[in-house]
Amino acid sequence: FDLFSRIRGEPAKKTQSALDQIKNSREEAIKELFSRLTTGDTGAHFEAMVGDLLIAMGYTEVEVIGGKDDQGVDIICSKRDGLSVTRYAIQCKCKKLSNEIGPKDISNLRDNLSSYQCQQGIFITTSRLNATAQQKAKEAGKEPIQTIEHEEIMNLFADHSIGISKETIRYHQIDESQYDFLRASKKT
């Protein structure tokens, strides 16, 4: 039977066990979240989700500032490491995989770090950076820009339950640890 299809009222499939469906549910949820994020104008929603992710990961002073005049910075936040606090400027780009990110977006983020009094920049996208943008992010003699691309951001969303929920499924069996008679009388 097909556990998830049955919940949605769809006819049962006999090709996957319930355990296989549970194992595959994460990948299916990630694909569905990506599809919904990249359909229509969801840039502001993506920025809000990244903001929620940063909070879940322990960043503080998270402020989503995106919009048309954001100067290449959608979110600013801070993170304490021991005695020092680092301020981050984050640029978010919600695009389909076919729309790769170019070097201009990386340069724009780097050029505006000081405008927001930030020490480091992070570029986060649902797509991927092209080769030139990857080189620009690591350009010698300049502040490196950290990048989080498609697979990594989608897995971070799933790991921290941002846009994807986890449900506990209970499996019941005899508990032989508490009663001797349960261990002794296994039926064959």
Side-chain angles (χ1 to χ4, degrees):
F1 77 105
D2 182 335
L3 181 64
F4 296 106
S5 295
R6 300 293 281 168
I7 291 169
R8 292 187 299 243
E10 298 173 10
K13 287 187 215 171
K14 297 184 190 231
T15 57
Q16 283 188 326
S17 72
L19 186 58
D20 288 337
Q21 291 174 60
I22 291 166
K23 289 177 183 176
N24 294 333
S25 68
R26 177 184 167 102
E27 289 78 24
E28 290 173 11
I30 285 172
K31 285 178 186 174
E32 180 65 22
L33 177 61
F34 175 72
S35 174
R36 291 185 188 196
L37 273 172
T38 56
T39 302
D41 185 18
T42 57
H45 298 292
F46 180 60
E47 292 166 7
M49 289 177 69
V50 170
D52 290 342
L53 174 65
L54 293 165
I55 291 167
M57 294 177 76
Y59 288 80
T60 59
E61 302 173 10
V62 176
E63 183 181 352
V64 178
I65 56 173
K68 292 188 182 214
D69 297 325
D70 63 17
Q71 300 177 22
V73 176
D74 293 313
I75 301 171
I76 54 174
C77 61
S78 300
K79 183 111 185 209
R80 178 173 290 283
D81 182 20
L83 296 175
S84 66
V85 175
T86 303
R87 223 165 121 79
Y88 294 88
I90 299 169
Q91 174 65 36
C92 301
K93 289 290 181 189
C94 185
K95 297 183 177 283
K96 294 183 183 216
L97 286 172
S98 58
N99 296 339
E100 288 188 338
I101 303 300
K104 180 181 175 188
D105 290 314
I106 300 296
S107 293
N108 197 21
L109 173 59
R110 182 181 285 126
D111 292 345
N112 285 295
L113 290 177
S114 62
S115 300
Y116 291 94
Q117 295 84 41
C118 294
Q119 293 83 35
Q120 292 190 14
I122 304 172
F123 194 94
I124 301 175
T125 182
T126 55
S127 184
R128 293 190 179 97
L129 278 70
N130 67 25
T132 309
Q134 289 173 358
Q135 291 172 348
K136 182 63 95 176
K138 295 171 179 59
E139 193 171 8
K142 296 191 178 182
E143 184 66 40
I145 299 295
Q146 298 174 45
T147 59
I148 299 174
E149 299 176 64
H150 172 74
E151 189 173 325
E152 188 175 2
I153 189 61
M154 299 311 292
N155 279 310
L156 285 169
F157 283 155
D159 292 346
H160 294 278
S161 298
I162 307 297
I164 295 175
S165 64
K166 301 174 193 170
E167 294 184 35
T168 302
I169 297 177
R170 295 184 180 186
Y171 174 77
H172 298 272
Q173 64 184 12
I174 296 291
D175 180 1
E176 298 175 351
S177 67
Q178 293 182 350
Y179 302 101
D180 290 339
F181 81 96
L182 292 175
R183 275 184 291 239
S185 63
K186 290 185 181 178
K187 293 185 178 181
T188 55

